[in-house]
Amino acid sequence: MRRFPDPDPGEPSRLTPGRYLLWLARAQLGVVLLGAFYGVIWPTAQALMPYAVGRAIDDGLTERDRGDLLLWAGVVLALGVLQAATGILQDRCALANALGARYRTLQLVTRQAARLGATLPRKTSAGEVLSVGVADVTQIGRALDFSSRAIGAVASIVVVAAIMLATSWRLGLVVLIGVPLMVAAVALLLRPLHDRQARLRSLQAELTAQAVDIVGGLRVLRGIGGEELFGRRYDAESQRVRRAGVHLARAEAALEAARMLLPGLLVALIVFLGARQVLAGDLTGGQLVAFYGYAVFLATPVRRLSIGASAFMKAYVAARRVVTLLALRPEIEAGGSAAPAGGDLVDPASGLVAAGGRFTAVVCAAPGHAAALADRLGRYTESGVTYGEVLLDSVEVAEVRRRILVSGNEARLFAGSLRSELAVDGIVDDARVLAAVEVASAADVLEALPGGLDTVVAAGGKEFSGGQLQRLRLARAVLADPDVLVLVEPTSAVDAHTEARIAARLAAARAGRTTVVFATSPILLDHADAVVLVDGGGRAVAAGTHASLIADPRYRALVAREEGPQ
C-alpha cells in the first residue's frame, strides 16, 4: 500500500481555503498533471470524431470512394479505442486525486486534534470535527477529482472551436461567443448556491453535534425521562436543516436546468445556422453532420465545466472549515526546559497543597471547582502551580503528561482489545494489568467477558454499564503508574461496598506516590492521608483528616448526605 508523506501545508494562520486547495493540488502534482493529460486526450479524441465522420461522408459516400471510406472508418475506430483507453486512465487518476486529497486532509485533521488535546472540546464541538472528517473531506476530494476533467473540458472546447473556425468562421464565432456566455450565466447561479451551501453546512454541523451529545448521554436521558424532550429538540433542529436543504436544492435545480438548457440552445442555433449555409452552398452535407456532432459534443464539456465549478465552490466552503480547524491553537503550547524532581504539588490560586508521596483528598463546595483545580494541577490551563518548587508552566508539556496524569469520568475507551485499551503505553505484562484491574475492583467485569483481556470492546465501551466503565478507567489510570495521579470522582457510579474495596486498594497501591482525589464520599475520604476543604470561592479553607474535619459544619454539610445512612 502506498504511504503518503506527512502533510505540511504551511503556517496554519496564513492558510486560506484557496491556498489549501492549491497545496493539495501541488502535493499530488504528478497525478494531477497525468490526469489532466488524459483529460485532454479523451475529449479531444471524441471531439475529432464528428470531423472524421464528416470526411467519411464527403470523401467516401458522396464521392463513392471505398478507400477513403475505409480510411476514415479506421480513423473513427482508432479514435474510439483511444477515447476508451484514456477515459479509463483518466478515471483512475481522478480517483487517485480524490482519495489522496481526502487522506491528506484526514491526516491534518487527526494530527490537529491530537495536537490540541484537551483544548479541542473547548474550541469546537465533536460534531464539527466529525463533519469535517466525513462530509468536508468528501467535497474536497470531489474537487480534486474534477480538476483533470475540467482541464480536459476546456481543451476540447478550444479544439472544437478551432476546427469550426477553420471550416466556417461564422459557426466558429458562435461557439467562441456562446460558450463563455453560457459559463457566465451558470456562474451567476453559483453565488446563491455558495451561500446556501455554507448555511446548510453550518446547520448540519450543529445537528451532528447535537446528535453526538444525545447519543453520548442517552443512558442519562433515559434515567431522568428526558428522551422525549431532546427528541423534540432534535426534530425541530432537523427540520431547520431540511428547510435549508430544500432552499439549496432550489438553487441546484436552477443550476441543473441551466446546464441542460443552455447547451441545448447552442446546439439548436448551430444546426439552424449550419442548415442555412448548406442551402446556400457554403457547407457540404458531411460538414453539416460534423457540425451537428460538434454541437452535441459541446454539451458534455460545458456541462462538465458547470459541474466542476459547483464542485470547486462546495470544496471552497469545506476547505474554509478545514482551515478554521487547522488555525486553532492549543491553550498550552509545547515548550519549557525545567525538569521537576518531585515533591509537593502546590496551587497558589486556591492554596491547595498536595504533599508529595501522600494520598490527598479534596472536597469542593462547588462541583465546577474540582474540574478547574484538576486542570490546573495537570497543566491543562495556564496557572502558577508548582511541582517540587518548579513552576509547571516552565516544564515541557510532554514531561508534565508523563509525570502527572489527570483522569476524569469523561475519559473514553476506544475500540480495540481490552488489553490495549488498559495498557495504553504498550505494556504486555498481563500480571500488571490484572493487578490494576484488581485495584479498581473490576475483576468481575473482566470475568464476564468471553475473551478476557483479548475481548474487543466497542468505541466508548458501549457494552459496559456506567459503573463498569468507571472502574475500567480507574484501572487504566492506576496501570499508567504516574508520579502524580489526579482522580476526579473516581467512584461516583459504584455501590458503597465496591467503593470501600477500591478506596482501600487504591491507598495501598499508591503508597509512597502522590495521589490527589477530588471526591465527597466519606468512604474515600476516610482512607486519605490528608483532606482539604475548598469553599465556594475556590479557596482551601481547612485541612486535616476526615475524622478531624467532620466537626467543621462546612465540611459536614458536604459529606453528610453520603454519611447519613451509615
Side-chain angles (χ1 to χ4, degrees), residues 32-49:
V32 171
L33 292 178
L34 187 61
F37 171 74
Y38 293 134
V40 170
I41 299 300
W42 176 81
T44 301
Q46 187 179 10
L48 291 175
M49 278 191 177

Side-chain angles (χ1 to χ4, degrees), residues 425-462:
D425 58 355
I427 297 173
V428 294
D429 185 357
D430 281 3
R432 288 186 58 190
V433 177
L434 293 175
V437 169
E438 186 67 20
V439 170
S441 192
D444 61 316
V445 180
L446 190 61
E447 291 170 0
L449 298 176
L453 291 174
D454 294 319
T455 302
V456 176
V457 298
K462 298 175 183 177

Side-chain angles (χ1 to χ4, degrees), residues 106 109 113 116 120-121 123-137 198-213 317-326 328:
L106 280 175
V109 170
L116 290 172
L120 182 62
K123 295 289 184 73
T124 187
S125 66
E128 176 68 14
V129 179
L130 181 63
S131 294
V132 168
V134 176
D136 289 334
V137 297
R199 172 168 170 73
L200 177 62
R201 176 61 186 78
S202 178
L203 291 175
Q204 284 175 331
E206 294 176 8
L207 186 64
T208 303
Q210 190 176 20
V212 170
D213 290 341
V317 174
R320 180 187 298 161
R321 306 189 78 88
V322 172
V323 167
T324 299
L325 180 61
L326 295 180
L328 296 178

Side-chain angles (χ1 to χ4, degrees), residues 214-268:
I214 291 175
V215 171
L218 190 57
R219 182 178 294 152
V220 177
L221 290 178
R222 284 177 175 170
I224 62 176
E227 288 177 278
E228 185 176 347
L229 173 62
F230 279 83
R232 288 197 301 269
R233 289 182 182 176
Y234 184 82
D235 182 64
E237 201 64 30
S238 63
Q239 290 303 311
R240 287 181 61 201
V241 176
R242 183 191 65 81
R243 287 191 292 271
V246 171
H247 196 50
L248 172 64
R250 292 194 184 103
E252 289 183 332
L255 181 63
E256 188 65 25
R259 288 173 183 164
M260 299 297 293
L261 176 63
L262 295 178
L265 293 176
L266 182 62
V267 170

